[in-house]
Amino acid sequence: MSVETSEEDRKKFVEQTLASAALEGFEPEPDFRTLLDRYIKGELTIAEVREVTDQVFGLK
């Protein structure tokens, strides 16, 4: 199932996620931030971001 989101919604989601992660001491690498920026712009889906992240961390 695909859910349409606005760029504003995606940006808010990313900001909230990064703020939560920062509370745990996580600072995203520039490459990961680039992926998130592409997600915000609508160039990637969150599933595509997750797939790349899983590959980088050897989860798939």
Side-chain angles (χ1 to χ4, degrees):
M1 182 169 108
S2 177
V3 176
E4 291 294 321
T5 58
S6 69
E7 185 170 338
E8 181 179 328
D9 288 339
R10 292 188 299 271
K11 183 176 181 180
K12 192 178 299 184
F13 170 75
V14 167
E15 288 173 349
Q16 289 173 345
T17 300
L18 291 178
S20 178
L23 291 173
E24 300 293 329
F26 173 75
E27 182 66 33
E29 296 289 328
D31 288 346
F32 183 64
R33 186 61 215 212
T34 298
L35 281 176
L36 294 176
D37 289 342
R38 291 185 63 200
Y39 165 70
I40 290 169
K41 293 176 187 174
E43 296 173 5
L44 296 173
T45 65
I46 196 67
E48 292 168 323
V49 172
R50 190 175 301 129
E51 183 177 321
V52 171
T53 303
D54 288 350
Q55 289 174 1
V56 168
F57 289 105
L59 300 175
K60 282 195 173 181

